[in-house]
Structure formats: C-alpha cells, structure tokens
Amino acid sequence: MVRQLAACVVVVSMTAVVSGRTHAQPPARPAPAATDRRDETLRLIGALAGDTPLVRDLQSLTDRIGGRATGSAPNERAVQWALARFKDAGVDARAESFTMPVRWLERSAKATIRGDGVEFSPAVAAMPFSAATPANGTTASLLDAGYGKKEDFDRLGAAVRGAFLLVQQHELEDVDGLFREYGESAEIEQRAFAAGVAGVVYMGSRPYNTLYRHNVSIGASNTRPMLVMEHDAAEKALRLIRGGTPLTLTERIEIDGGGAYQAQNVVAEIRGATKPDEVVIFGAHLDSWDLGDGALDNGANVALMIDVARQIKRLGLRPARTIRLALWNGEEQGMIGSFGYTKTHAAELDKHVLAGSIDIGCGRINGFYTGGRPEILPAVARALEPVAGLGPFTQIDAPIVGTDNFDFMLHGVANLVANQEPALYGQNYHAHSDVFAKCDPQQLRLNAQITAAVVYGFANMDVTWSRQTRADVEALMKRTDLEQQMRMFNVWDEWAQGTRGRSKR
Ligand SMILES: [Zn+2]
C-alpha cells in the first residue's frame, strides 16, 4: 500500500455482513446458487492448501530479485520473472505498457554532521521524490525541530529559513503508528516548506536503526532534499544541539531522475467459458521500494496471485467470466500501473464486474473493504461461504484510497481491498527489513484460499449491480470521506479536472 487511512471507516453491522460463524449455532445458510459452482471452488481451495510453489515463488522474487522500484533494472527483471512463472503454469499472460509520469530512483544518499570537535556520518535514505543535491553536497545548519509542531516552529522563528530541520519521531510499532506518522509528516512538511527550509531530516522511527522510504507528502512536485536518518545518530545530533553544540549537516543525494517513461504491468488471463467478455480482476503490485526485498509489500501477494492462476489452470477449471490476475507496477509512486490499465481497457470497464486488491502483507485476511457499495455485500458474503472455516470475516463498507482498487473505484467498478491483520506489516513498511522471513508462509497459503474463493465466486455468481456513473461516484464522495482521502494523496485535482476516473460524458 502507498498508505492506508484508518480514519472514518464505517464498520457495518456484524449481523448484516459477517460471513461464516460468529455464533455457536450457525444461521441457516442459503443453498448456493447453481452458478456459484461450489464444488469447483472447494477443489481450488484444496489445491491451494497443498505443497504448491507459492512460498518458493516468494523466496525467488525476494531473495533473487529483491527490491524492485519501478524504473529500476530489478523491476524489469521482475516483469520477466512473473511472465515466466505464468508461462510455466500454462496461464496466458502479457506485459501491458503504461506511462510513468516521472522517473525517481535513489542512486546514493550520504550525510555528514559537523560541530565543534565532532564529526560523524550517519546512514540516511532519500525520501521518494526528494530532490538531488549538487555533487559536492548542500551544507546548512541542522536545527532541533522537536516533533515539528507549530510551537517548535514558533520557537525557532526566522532561523529555519535555509536550514535543515531535524524532526523527532516516535518509534513506529504497528499500522496505527504508521497512519499517525503519515498524517503528522504531511503537516510538518507543510509548515517547513512554508517557512523556507533547505530540507527536512526525519529521525528514523524504526527499531535497530532500520531505514525506510516514505513518500514526500507533496509527491513529485517536491523541490527539496528530504532524508530519513538512522535513529541513534539522529538522537545523538539532538543531544549535541540541546547541549549547546551548534551543528551543520552536509547532504549529498544523487537521484536517477527524469521525465516520463514506459513501465509494464503483468496481466494473466483465464478466459471465461460462457461470459468471456465479463471480467473479474484481482491484483497485487509487483513493484516495491528498494531498501528491502518487498516481501510483505507486496511480493507475498504477487506470489499468491500467481498460485491462484496456476491452480485454476492445473485443475482445468472454466469459470463463467474471464478472470484476470494483475501484477501492477508503479503502485508505490502513485498507483500508476492500475491507473494505466483503466485507460488501456477503458472500453471494457462496463463489463468489469469486480476489481480486487491485496496489499497488506501476510496477516490473516479478516474481511474486505467493500468501497461504500452495500449492494455488493451479500455477494462478498456468499463468495466467502466456502472458506467460512478460515473466518470470521467482517466487511467494512467504506471506500479506501492507497492501493490499486483506486482507479477502478473512480471508474465506478465495484471494488474490494482485503483487510488484513497487521502482523509484521507496520514495523517493516517500506523498510530495509521487509524481507522473506517476515512473511508467515502458512497464513499466506490460507490467504490464497480465501482470495481464490472470492475470485472464483465472483467469476461465476449472478450479479445484481452494475458500473456506477460519474454522478454515482460523486455521490459516494459526498457521503463518505473519499474526497478527504484523495486530497491527502494528491489525486483529487486529477479527478476534479477529469484527467483521472470516469469522464463527465
Ligand atoms: Zn503495497
């Protein structure tokens, strides 16, 4: 996920939408419609419970290719890797090009702190969309900006102009902490940029001096060098400043940057037997940030998608609708690959019955965000019925911005995002520590079974909903916090201007 917002989601009544058992005495279940093809779903679930290549694929993607930021050579290798996996499984798959608007990769980032009688060079990471510095670096005063609150700026006054601000962070322990950190950094950066700082340096919030990448809140329009500094060195610098030793910071940031370029999604397809022009698409993003190996975010769910396709093919199952399993690119830099798909496939979107996304690591799938569309809740419950034993599942009927359901939502396509127990997601988010061993392989297998039930269920069941109009999507924005989420992501203007999402015609 680029980021996920917890605010304002509405947990719909448990009794209305919980699939599976929450009572000792289960309620009478409706007989599944013949079109649900429950026996086939159960065979698929059984196949995914076996010793499939799922975990070996994740190990291959993370240990052999590793971090794969869009635009990098490892990312291109990952596209070829995924195509080869689908080919080996006998699944039709293709690479589909789309345009990335801006090239941004860190080549190197270095920092040296100096003061009277002290000099040290902490490990740092450039924040995505950080500006580069001149080759010989940029040197400025390093100021103690506390937690970057308004009173800290008031205390520093005019001194912040042209200075680097060192901002403290609370240790990040879980997903809730991640939400808080994102919200706070947007406010800090707004104050800092308005005050004319040279750049912001965040104290690393992760244990053991782990570095990570957080997007600069204003995205590609940022013009300043922006860093995360390993925790202990940032603390040392603050102690020195607070003890009366003024410090300077020299930053040397080298960016592989540039304008628009082509990147590729990988889209696998299992053609529908009786309604081939109707599409159920589920996806996970193939790109990751590059400090770690992108296991939780989101290699695990890439391997999951591949295994679902592989087992459908191996069993010779013929869903009614066409199933597409998509490995998106450009997600971390603004959900650009799935945006590209909605442009390339614009003429088919009326026939897209559902678009699903999985992007919160390896924690148990405990339900789905259903996008503020109560009409699809009964269908989700029905699709989950064959895996009720892996529940309970609770749907949250709210629109969610932050991963690859987003552009489908703006196009009025019914969309799901798997909600997952946080497990080790938060601490390792976009970090050096997001590696293979952080994923629970047994839970990943169970999540594959849950996903398969939903994908296969929607590919076969009768549907009662259709694509929303732009007016319907606008109404959704009015009755939920969707607009607020979009503004926080810098994607509101694109919608308002009609360059992203369903057109006004
Ligand atoms: Zn992600």
Side-chain angles (χ1 to χ4, degrees):
M1 272 201 159
V2 181
R3 85 172 67 152
Q4 186 202 33
L5 298 172
C8 305
V9 294
V10 180
V11 180
V12 289
S13 148
M14 293 282 282
T15 50
V17 295
V18 169
S19 166
R21 319 128 298 112
T22 52
H23 310 286
Q25 187 67 43
R29 286 175 186 157
T35 52
D36 284 2
R37 298 201 276 182
R38 183 187 165 89
D39 288 354
E40 292 179 4
T41 306
L42 292 175
R43 286 172 63 206
L44 178 57
I45 293 163
L48 286 159
D51 181 25
T52 74
L54 169 63
V55 178
R56 294 190 288 280
D57 278 353
L58 174 58
Q59 187 181 355
S60 165
L61 179 63
T62 54
D63 285 354
R64 302 189 70 87
I65 296 177
R68 45 198 181 279
T70 309
S72 68
N75 185 277
E76 288 169 11
R77 282 208 301 282
V79 168
Q80 297 309 315
W81 174 93
L83 288 169
R85 286 294 180 288
F86 284 125
K87 187 166 179 233
D88 287 351
V91 175
D92 292 331
R94 56 188 177 263
E96 296 190 358
S97 291
F98 64 92
T99 303
M100 287 290 291
V102 172
R103 180 178 188 79
W104 191 95
L105 295 165
E106 183 199 279
R107 279 215 184 102
S108 67
K110 295 192 167 66
T112 300
I113 293 172
R114 294 186 181 86
D116 184 19
V118 289
E119 177 174 331
F120 55 104
S121 296
V124 292
M127 295 174 71
F129 306 117
S130 167
T133 65
N136 58 350
T138 297
T139 299
S141 302
L142 182 65
L143 302 183
D144 164 17
Y147 287 95
K149 301 205 176 301
K150 184 178 175 301
E151 52 267 34
D152 295 306
F153 282 83
D154 291 346
R155 167 175 56 83
L156 290 168
V160 299
R161 180 164 292 279
F164 287 124
L165 297 191
L166 179 54
V167 177
Q168 273 179 283
Q169 303 258 277
H170 296 287
E171 182 170 322
L172 190 144
E173 291 170 343
D174 52 24
V175 179
D176 287 346
L178 186 60
F179 301 148
R180 193 173 55 239
E181 197 172 298
Y182 261 128
E184 287 170 358
S185 62
E187 291 174 16
I188 293 164
E189 287 162 27
Q190 202 172 11
R191 287 186 197 108
F193 298 159
V197 302
V200 177
V201 181
Y202 288 101
M203 168 192 283
S205 62
R206 315 295 169 83
Y208 310 114
N209 286 329
T210 302
L211 289 173
Y212 52 91
R213 296 201 197 282
H214 265 195
N215 287 359
V216 176
S217 61
I218 56 171
S221 59
N222 173 61
T223 57
R224 293 177 169 84
M226 301 286 284
L227 292 178
V228 172
M229 180 178 288
E230 57 179 337
H231 177 92
D232 293 350
E235 245 181 9
K236 174 159 74 174
L238 286 173
R239 276 195 303 274
L240 286 163
I241 297 168
R242 289 170 187 176
T245 304
L247 299 178
T248 64
L249 169 64
T250 301
E251 295 185 354
R252 280 200 307 281
I253 304 174
E254 201 184 346
I255 301 300
D256 176 0
Y261 65 98
Q262 294 294 297
Q264 295 182 306
N265 298 319
V266 176
V267 182
E269 180 166 298
I270 291 141
R271 191 130 178 92
T274 55
K275 299 171 182 169
D277 57 334
E278 295 185 17
V279 176
V280 170
I281 186 165
F282 246 75
H285 66 86
L286 182 60
D287 67 310
S288 74
W289 279 120
D290 51 338
L291 293 168
D293 294 333
L296 297 176
D297 191 12
N298 193 13
N301 295 307
V302 164
L304 180 158
M305 293 298 161
I306 293 170
D307 209 28
V308 170
R310 178 189 285 127
Q311 300 309 323
I312 292 173
K313 187 73 184 178
R314 191 172 73 81
L315 295 172
L317 302 181
R318 300 290 310 279
R321 297 189 179 87
T322 293
I323 293 173
R324 287 184 185 154
L325 295 161
L327 309 181
W328 308 115
N329 238 323
E331 194 270 350
E332 298 291 5
Q333 300 178 41
M335 307 169 285
I336 309 296
S338 45
F339 176 31
Y341 176 98
T342 62
K343 288 192 275 196
T344 305
H345 294 272
E348 299 169 57
L349 292 181
D350 277 344
K351 300 276 185 142
H352 277 53
V353 166
L354 183 78
S357 186
I358 309 187
D359 194 10
I360 317 180
C362 294
R364 186 178 81 84
I365 294 176
N366 54 22
F368 289 85
Y369 291 98
T370 50
R373 296 189 61 165
E375 68 272 27
I376 70 164
L377 287 169
V380 176
R382 198 161 88 227
L384 286 167
E385 203 275 338
V387 285
L390 303 181
F393 301 106
T394 304
Q395 276 47 268
I396 299 177
D397 191 28
I400 193 95
V401 181
T403 188
D404 293 300
N405 66 308
F406 173 68
D407 282 277
F408 292 98
M409 180 162 64
L410 289 195
H411 276 280
V413 176
N415 60 97
L416 299 179
V417 178
N419 192 12
Q420 297 178 247
E421 290 173 0
L424 299 175
Y425 185 81
Q427 304 93 309
N428 300 296
Y429 176 80
H430 292 181
H432 188 65
S433 54
D434 183 3
V435 296
F436 175 77
K438 297 296 177 3
C439 177
D440 172 352
Q442 181 57 23
Q443 188 58 57
L444 179 60
R445 269 195 199 290
L446 297 174
N447 287 348
Q449 295 163 48
I450 294 165
T451 304
V454 173
V455 169
Y456 207 70
F458 274 86
N460 291 300
M461 70 171 67
D462 296 332
V463 305
T464 55
W465 61 92
S466 54
R467 188 180 169 197
Q468 292 177 320
T469 63
R470 184 173 174 105
D472 293 332
V473 180
E474 283 168 347
L476 176 68
M477 289 172 182
K478 288 210 169 67
R479 69 174 184 268
T480 66
D481 71 336
L482 181 52
E483 176 178 340
Q484 184 195 335
Q485 292 187 52
M486 288 167 66
R487 287 186 183 281
M488 282 192 65
F489 273 87
N490 293 307
V491 287
W492 172 257
D493 290 348
E494 291 172 275
W495 161 260
Q497 290 158 8
T499 55
R500 198 161 183 173
R502 187 139 206 196
S503 68
K504 290 172 183 173
R505 279 175 289 110

